[in-house]
Amino acid sequence: QVQLQESGPGLVKPSQTLSLTCTVSGASISSASYFWSWIRQPAGKGLEWIGRIYSRGSSDYSPSFKSRVTIFSDTSKNHFSLKLNSVTVADAAVYYCATGFIVETGNTFSVWGQGTVVTVSS
Amino acid sequence: EIVLTQSPATLSVSPGEDATLSCRASQSVSSNLAWYQQRPGQAPRLLIYSASTRATDIPARFSGSGSGTEFTLTISSLQSEDFAVYYCQQYHEWPPAFTFGPGTKVDIK
């Protein structure tokens, strides 16, 4: 059973870089059967897909974030990470990591982490 | 980018009644549409993928239908745990730009 756990600072200053990590258990992050995504949810609002990593380091990003986001993996630690540059108060949200078993459910998110709250404030 | 709209924004239903939620896409997504349930304080849970296939362990009272630009999630005989926010998500675009609808809140009438 795949499980995900987000970690990282809960407070980031404006203009700085938000960095989060998602630790994966129950599956190898190198597996071609899965993709690994970041999704966020501002307080009281809906879900926004940020991007994903898959197939040995390939990545796709939402056009809304493409200019300032990087998602990468560390296979030795079986985790993947998010870096979002130049944050503003609009980037405050619950950040989720999520995955899907491509061959079964396609590009949907069947497993989610519990989410981590990120506040942007000086 | 494909835009999803959901209606209604809020649906008030009595326990035991049925609920019908709609999701409309700005262009065809074929059957590449999923539905999620999010209870307060929890992460979303995948209910339906490929427009009509229930995910693992999802009760049969949840059903999805539609293709192209019009989709429906039906919840039969609502139970207390079904009062939540429901989101649709498309995964049709390539390069991928997965998008979610704004959500429909199902609350107790």
Side-chain angles (χ1 to χ4, degrees):
Chain A
Q1 181 182 0
V2 181
Q3 293 184 307
L4 307 175
Q5 178 66 60
E6 304 91 348
S7 60
L11 178 64
V12 182
K13 290 181 167 56
S15 80
Q16 294 194 342
T17 297
L18 181 161
S19 297
L20 298 173
T21 292
C22 181
T23 300
V24 178
S25 58
S28 169
I29 200 162
S30 300
S31 171
S33 298
Y34 295 89
F35 65 94
W36 312 96
S37 269
W38 287 97
I39 295 163
R40 76 179 189 182
Q41 185 171 36
K45 296 188 178 181
L47 301 162
E48 298 178 272
W49 178 71
I50 299 171
R52 69 172 184 176
I53 192 169
Y54 63 102
S55 294
R56 300 185 182 183
S58 299
S59 58
D60 298 305
Y61 300 117
S62 165
S64 299
F65 297 95
K66 195 167 188 175
S67 63
R68 59 188 186 106
V69 69
T70 305
I71 298 174
F72 57 97
S73 63
D74 185 333
T75 55
S76 66
K77 298 180 180 177
N78 212 42
H79 73 206
F80 64 106
S81 299
L82 167 72
K83 285 192 181 296
L84 184 65
N85 301 325
S86 306
V87 299
T88 70
V89 294
D91 293 310
V94 176
Y95 284 76
Y96 295 100
C97 56
T99 187
F101 189 45
I102 298 171
V103 296
E104 179 179 312
T105 58
N107 289 308
T108 63
F109 308 103
S110 54
V111 180
W112 295 66
Q114 65 184 25
T116 188
V117 176
V118 175
T119 301
V120 179
S121 175
S122 54
Chain B
E1 180 177 286
I2 296 174
V3 177
L4 300 178
T5 55
Q6 291 186 244
S7 60
T10 303
L11 185 61
S12 296
V13 184
S14 299
E17 292 185 339
D18 296 350
T20 301
L21 289 65
S22 294
C23 177
R24 175 175 292 179
S26 60
Q27 62 191 77
S28 177
V29 299
S30 186
S31 294
N32 297 313
L33 189 108
W35 291 92
Y36 299 83
Q37 175 194 68
Q38 187 176 34
R39 296 173 179 144
Q42 295 186 14
R45 175 174 72 143
L46 177 66
L47 299 175
I48 301 284
Y49 62 95
S50 298
S52 61
T53 304
R54 275 189 303 279
T56 302
D57 295 331
I58 300 304
R61 65 180 182 274
F62 291 92
S63 63
S65 64
S67 66
T69 62
E70 301 282 345
F71 300 87
T72 300
L73 174 70
T74 301
I75 312 170
S76 301
S77 188
L78 263 87
Q79 301 188 10
S80 57
E81 61 266 30
D82 300 335
F83 292 96
V85 179
Y86 293 83
Y87 295 95
C88 56
Q89 175 231 335
Q90 66 81 18
Y91 50 102
H92 183 70
E93 280 188 286
W94 196 264
F98 307 135
T99 51
F100 292 88
T104 290
K105 182 179 181 180
V106 178
D107 65 16
I108 300 175
K109 188 175 183 180

